[in-house]
């Protein structure tokens, strides 16, 4: 078992124990500084793992109003580029605005 997995297991044990950190550390004879280091290290890893999940924005696909309107729009957000039909652009922009992604650069 890797250190990260071991400490994640210890932290999970503490969380489910119902004990305060001090009680748990004393019972397990764990150094407080070491414990806090691993809490921070594992929570950073959890946050990194969840970024993709938490930042997903569902975008409803609209039905084209006019079949002749087959133009494309390209939208750049940082390094990401999105190419889509013009009829879907309004839905995309509304969804991004509601998610708080679009903002005034001023």
């Amino acid at each position: 078992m890797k250190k990260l997995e071991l400490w994640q297991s210890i932290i999970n044990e503490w969380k489910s124990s119902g004990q305060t950190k001090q009680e748990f550390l004393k019972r397990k004879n764990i150094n407080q500084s070491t414990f806090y280091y691993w809490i921070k290290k594992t929570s950073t890893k959890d946050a990194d793992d969840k970024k993709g999940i938490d930042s997903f924005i569902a975008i409803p696909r609209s039905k084209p109003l006019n079949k002749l309107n087959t133009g494309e729009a390209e939208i750049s957000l940082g390094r990401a580029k999105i190419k889509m039909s013009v009829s879907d652009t309004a839905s995309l922009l509304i969804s991004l605005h509601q998610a708080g992604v679009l903002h005034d650069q001023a």
Side-chain angles (χ1 to χ4, degrees), residues 49-61:
D49 289 346
K50 292 178 182 175
K51 278 182 184 174
I53 296 169
D54 293 341
S55 61
F56 178 77
I57 301 170
I59 301 169
R61 185 167 177 101

Side-chain angles (χ1 to χ4, degrees), residues 11-95:
I11 292 165
N12 290 341
E13 182 183 346
W14 160 68
K15 287 179 179 178
S16 64
S17 74
Q19 295 178 315
T20 65
K21 289 177 188 164
Q22 288 73 26
E23 292 170 338
F24 182 79
L25 296 175
K26 186 176 181 180
R27 185 173 61 86
K28 290 287 198 174
N29 196 25
I30 297 173
N31 179 284
Q32 183 177 354
S33 297
T34 304
F35 187 70
Y36 281 98
Y37 167 82
W38 283 103
I39 284 177
K40 183 176 180 181
K41 183 111 172 146
T42 57
S43 67
T44 302
K45 182 186 179 307
D46 288 345
D48 290 344
D49 289 346
K50 292 178 182 175
K51 278 182 184 174
I53 296 169
D54 293 341
S55 61
F56 178 77
I57 301 170
I59 301 169
R61 185 167 177 101
S62 61
K63 296 188 180 196
L65 299 174
N66 181 350
K67 290 190 178 189
L68 297 176
N69 188 358
T70 58
E72 286 189 340
E74 186 174 304
I75 299 169
S76 297
L77 296 169
R79 296 184 344 196
K81 290 186 179 180
I82 302 168
K83 226 179 204 181
M84 57 192 335
S85 73
V86 173
S87 62
D88 294 331
T89 305
S91 296
L92 170 66
L93 293 174
I94 290 168
S95 297

Side-chain angles (χ1 to χ4, degrees), residues 1 4-5 27 80:
M1 181 181 282
L4 184 64
E5 293 168 344
R27 185 173 61 86

